[in-house]
Structure formats: structure tokens, C-alpha cells
Amino acid sequence: MTKTTKPKSGTEIFVPLNKLKKSPRNVRKMPHTPAEVEALAASIEANGMLQNFVVEPERNDAGRETGCYLVTIGEGRRLAQLLRAKRRQITKAEPIRCVLDTGHDAQEISLAENIIRTAMHPADEYEAFASLHNDKGMAAADIAARFGVTPAVVRQRLKLAAVSPMLLQAYRADELTLEQVMAFTLTDDHARQEEVWQGLGWDKGAYAIRRALTEGQVPSGDRRARFVGAEDYTEAGGVIVRDLFDADNGGYFADAALLDRLVLRKLEREAEGVRAEGWAWVLVAPEFDHRATSDMRRVHPDAPEIAAEVQAQIDKLLEELEQLSAAAEGDELTAETEARMNELDAAIEALKGQPVYDPADIAAGGAFVSLGYDGGLRIERGFIRKADEPPAPVASGEAGEGEAEPDNHAETSTTLPDRLVAQLTAQRTMALREAVATRPDVAFLAVVHVLVASTFYVGTRVSCLDITARSAFLSGYAPGIDESPEGRACSDRQAELAFGLPESMQDLWEALQALPQERLMRLLAHCAALTIDSVVRSGGNLSAPLKHAEKLAEAVSLDMAAHWQPTAANYLWQVTKAAILEAVREGVSEQAAQQLVELKKPAMAEAAERLLADKRWLPKLLRLPQRGADANCAAA
């Protein structure tokens, strides 16, 4: 009988895949990720096994060999081969080439295999991928399949390989970070890449590189780009510079002038629909200028009349909506309940119909079509110029004719001397003052009346209260402020509160008397807010108003840092270098400020903008005295 000779340590053997097991003495305890196993399987499928397994026989508790082998080196490849077997690319008993090692400590050689090796530099990997693509003609999808990665990853590596060889060598020498190399992929022009790198000052971060490479271009998040859209822009011949390392991959619109023309063209197309509504005029401009409407009267649409049968349907839907709300009170809404409530809201609004403008107002008035703050369309309707105002009706002097109220004081101009008229009306004014002083409710209504008349109407004085509501046009001091979130909120609130007010200012007093207190309070708050003016003008002495503005800010707990933060455009470019450094010193740290000292002012301002982002730093002019460290926001 022939005796089987056991292979010696160091011998190459073939072991069926289903006889290979994970070694408990493998020092690598962190499991391989599915992506790592996938990549190894793809590599083995494409190129075969490049390295043998190192194995030792498995023994039972009695020390006898079980016929299986423990994988000391190559656990990841074992998992990859099992994945291939699962996919039926090989059999479960596929012979796997291994090296038997019983002469060394399994744990030690596992440790050596994982530690004593030099990883390939990423730049070498990028260039190797580029060689497969450029020299061997392999598509990104083919490369991805052979190395177990996605085509997007391959395209990113090919893009990195296209960076200037000088910059890649600097990356190998640890003079650049991967993030900086990624920023350079915005252009394939090596000369431009090198010019930007050499021209940067102290701030050589990825943000600064991207900013320099995209100077004059429009980021995809800009409202103009969102309004036009990438498809229409590219169809017009525009080029979008894509950033493969941007999660959104929106890129940059390279031709800003073309984009501006497309914005106006699209606004004009949208304006055609507004003109079709019958307005006397429609003005188109990228920015809505509130100053252009200062001497115009604005009219608002009225709710359409609702038939009795339609109102009955609305009431039935409202009843169901109230029942659902009451049933869910105190509990979290289920998805089904929330969906039903949304359906009911939509159905109620559809039954109510859209508010409609008076045809006479449309015939005399106009609209503005502009770009919204968020990249949408902004349409402001219902403005009537003074020159287009209809002539005031002439009341007939004959009894029973016309609609004008009789003038109880007509006799004053013909039968009483001017001095006596003034004397009598002075007596009446004093009495009226005393009477109103004892009726706070009427005084409140009178103040609301005069403020609403000044805020929502254009015309002559209709109140006997000598109160004038003036509103400073802030866009003259801060361009674009009307399109800020706060500016849009103010405009939307104006339109909301105007809804339901009478067309004629002469009918305002009676209309206000019929409104609930909550509505009157909202009107008062809105009108009063519009009169706030704490703008410091050149040569003006506003110490008292500014102190009051601080007290008012304290009363409403104004958090100015939630509304404003310093940028190069809105602050840093406009102050001295010393002021920039002081801002960084207060908002970030002394060390951060010192790093900017040698920069020229433009670079210093832009670097400071990034450093101060989200640090809640405010200039002293915007700080509230009682906020202390929170207002100064000197970051630790």
C-alpha cells in the first residue's frame, strides 16, 4: 500500500475553495467591506489570482488535521472567490492555488503581511487609470468593471490624472492635498492651473483655487442659473464647467453675459402671459425696484363670489377637516390622516376660486415681471400710476343726484368769517381730543386708520390725526435688499394684509371698524414696522433714534447674526485692512488674523469671509449692548 507524502512547508498546493476557512489567527479583525470584496472579485475575474493564499492545516481538538485549511494571508481574496462562486463564475470546489506554511507563526506572518508593505501613491493610481484609458482605449465602464468600482469613480480618477504633471508631482511631495488637486480639475489647461497655483497668496485652499479658476463664471446655485436652467443655457450655446467632485455636480455657467440675456428673454416670454391678462402696461427687469412704485396706488384682487351650493360643499369639507384636526390633537398625525387633510385643503381652495381684479383696475394699471430671490418668477400686479388714475366723480349740486356726501361745512366758505371758522373748529378739536383720550379703543382705531391710509393708499390726507407714516427706501443704501428673504417677507405681508381693504380710501374708516382686533393689530404692526428708520446717513445726528432702535431690538429679541454675516462684498472690501484683521481676531482667533497680515486687501477680504462664515461675528454697529460675548462672537 502506497503511503501519501504530506507536502512540506513552503510547497504550492491546490485546495478546493469549499475547504478554505478564515483563520482565527489572522490579525486583521476589521471585516472587509462589500465594496472591497467586489473590487477584488472584479480584479480576479479580469486578471486572475495575482497572489497565492498562505494557509495552514486546520486541526481538531485532538490535534488531527480535518482536511480543511485556514487562510493566514488572503482572507479578502477568499471572500472574493466565494462571491464569484455565488455568481456561478467558478464552482464551489474550484481548486485555489495556495502556499502551505507550517514553519512560521501564523499570527506573525499575518501581521507582517498587513504592515510591511508600501501603499501605492494615489497620483500613481490616477495615472495608471489614465494609461488604460488613453493608451489601451479602455472605456470608463470597462475599467470600472475590471476593478470593481463605479464608472463615476473612474471618471474622477481620469480627471485627477489630467491635472498638470507639475502639480501632481507637488502632490506626491505632500505640497498639495487631494482636495486642492480636485479643485484644479475644473480646467484641463495646465498653464492656467500652474498660473493660478503660483499666483495665490497665503490662501491656497481648495476654495481659493476654485474661485480663481471660475472667476467671471456663474455657479449653478445662482438664481439666474436656476431661473434659466442648464438645458436652455446649453441649447443657446452656453458651456457649463462641471465639477466631478461636487455632490450636486451643477457646475459653473461659463458665459455670464449669455446667461443674463437668457434671463431677460425668459422674463419677456413670461411677461406675455401677464400682458394677455389685459394690463395697461407690463415692465420687465431682472430686479424689482420698489422705488419705481413709490408714487403709484396699488390695487388688490377681490375674492370671487361663491354660490350657495359651492359654499355648502366648502362647509362640508371644513367640517371633515375640523374633525380630523380634533381627533389628532395631541397625537402625531398618521401619514393617511395628513394626506387626507392636504386633500381637503386643496379641494377647499379650488372651490373658493382665485381672487380677481376689477376690470377697470386692469385697464388702468400695470404689473412688474422680475426675477425672484430664489430663482423663480416674481410678478407684482395692480400698480396704477398717477397719470392713469380715473378722474374723481363730480357730485351734483341738486338734491338726490350723484353719490357724494353732503358737505356739512359748505357754509364756512360763504357765511362765516375765516377767523370765526378757525375759532369754532379749534373748540371742536379740543373737545374731540378730550373725548378720544377717554376712548382708547377709538384712539387705537384712529392710529391704525392713518397708518393704513399712508401705507396702502396714494392720495390726499383723509385723517384728522397729524401723523405721517414715511418709509425709507433701504435699497438705495443696500442694493438688492428688497430681494432678501426679509424684503420678500415684507412684500408678501403687504399683499396679504391689503386683501380685503376697500378700493377707495374714503371707505377705509368704516372698513376698519368692521375688522377683528387681531387683524387691526397685524395692520398696525406692519405699518409701524415700515416706518422704522435707523439708517445712519452722512452728516446726520441720529444718536437718539439709534438708541431707540437698540431698545426696540432688545424688545423683540433681534438676533442680527441670523439675518446678516460679513462677506467681501457687503462689508470686508469696504473697510480697512486693520478692520478686517480685527474682525478675524474677534470672530476667529489671533492666530487666524496673523496668517492674513501679509495678504493684499482683496485676497485678505475673501480669506476673511471664509474664516468668518457661520461664526456669528458682527461689527460693533450691529451689536446689542446686553449681548456681550454672544454679540461680539469672538470664537474660541
Side-chain angles (χ1 to χ4, degrees), residues 183-238:
F184 278 116
T185 63
L186 283 171
T187 178
D188 292 330
D189 186 340
H190 290 177
R192 177 63 178 150
Q193 291 172 351
E194 294 170 10
E195 177 187 15
V196 166
W197 178 247
Q198 293 166 357
L200 291 174
W202 164 81
D203 186 5
K204 294 180 179 289
Y207 178 89
I209 295 169
R210 284 190 174 91
R211 185 191 65 244
L213 289 174
T214 59
E215 185 177 3
Q217 300 176 7
V218 180
S220 60
D222 186 277
R223 61 187 180 130
R224 292 171 293 170
R226 294 201 300 269
F227 181 67
V228 171
E231 184 177 351
D232 288 348
Y233 171 76
T234 53
E235 284 183 0

Side-chain angles (χ1 to χ4, degrees), residues 137-442:
M138 293 177 62
D142 296 331
I143 298 173
R146 295 173 76 90
F147 290 92
V149 294
T150 64
V153 169
V154 174
R155 284 191 287 270
Q156 287 179 338
R157 292 174 181 174
L158 293 175
K159 196 69 173 173
L160 289 165
V163 171
S164 161
M166 183 199 82
L167 296 174
L168 284 180
Q169 191 57 41
Y171 174 42
R172 289 187 176 94
D174 292 331
E175 295 172 7
L176 272 77
T177 65
L178 176 57
E179 189 178 2
Q180 289 171 304
V181 178
M182 289 160 59
F184 278 116
T185 63
L186 283 171
T187 178
D188 292 330
D189 186 340
H190 290 177
R192 177 63 178 150
Q193 291 172 351
E194 294 170 10
E195 177 187 15
V196 166
W197 178 247
Q198 293 166 357
L200 291 174
W202 164 81
D203 186 5
K204 294 180 179 289
Y207 178 89
I209 295 169
R210 284 190 174 91
R211 185 191 65 244
L213 289 174
T214 59
E215 185 177 3
Q217 300 176 7
V218 180
S220 60
D222 186 277
R223 61 187 180 130
R224 292 171 293 170
R226 294 201 300 269
F227 181 67
V228 171
E231 184 177 351
D232 288 348
Y233 171 76
T234 53
E235 284 183 0
V239 175
I240 298 179
V241 179
R242 298 288 183 181
D243 185 350
L244 293 181
F245 301 95
D246 177 10
D248 297 329
N249 201 20
Y252 299 84
F253 289 50
D255 193 337
L258 171 63
L259 183 61
D260 288 337
R261 291 196 298 273
L262 293 176
V263 167
L264 282 174
R265 186 183 304 172
K266 186 172 181 179
L267 287 174
E268 285 289 352
R269 287 200 303 269
E270 297 288 352
E272 289 305 313
V274 181
R275 292 187 179 101
E277 298 172 9
W279 296 99
W281 52 267
V282 176
L283 295 182
V284 174
E287 300 287 343
F288 174 60
D289 188 358
H290 284 273
R291 291 173 297 182
T293 67
S294 61
D295 60 347
M296 298 183 189
R297 178 170 65 92
R298 188 167 192 182
V299 295
H300 297 276
D302 296 320
E305 293 186 7
I306 300 176
E309 60 272 17
V310 175
Q311 186 61 53
Q313 296 179 53
I314 293 174
D315 293 340
K316 185 177 180 180
L317 295 175
L318 284 172
E319 183 180 357
E320 182 183 352
L321 185 61
E322 290 173 0
Q323 290 173 352
L324 290 174
S325 300
E329 188 172 355
D331 299 322
E332 187 173 347
L333 287 177
T334 64
E336 294 78 8
T337 300
E338 186 174 6
R340 179 54 182 163
M341 292 176 73
N342 289 337
E343 289 176 5
L344 291 171
D345 282 330
I348 291 169
E349 291 302 317
L351 288 171
K352 286 181 177 178
Q354 293 296 320
V356 292
Y357 284 92
D358 188 305
D361 290 336
I362 295 177
F368 294 86
V369 177
S370 59
L371 190 58
Y373 180 77
D374 58 353
L377 183 67
R378 179 177 184 179
I379 302 175
E380 301 287 347
R381 298 175 174 87
F383 292 93
I384 300 179
R385 298 162 170 159
K386 284 185 177 180
D388 298 327
E389 288 283 4
V394 179
S396 172
E398 298 180 13
E401 295 185 8
E403 297 182 357
E405 294 183 3
D407 187 354
N408 296 329
H409 309 289
E411 64 172 346
T412 61
S413 61
T414 58
T415 62
L416 297 178
D418 291 345
R419 185 173 180 180
L420 180 57
V421 169
Q423 177 184 335
L424 292 175
T425 52
Q427 292 289 342
R428 185 185 63 182
T429 298
M430 179 58 72
L432 187 57
R433 286 179 179 180
E434 185 62 20
V436 171
T438 63
R439 290 287 304 276
D441 56 330
V442 177

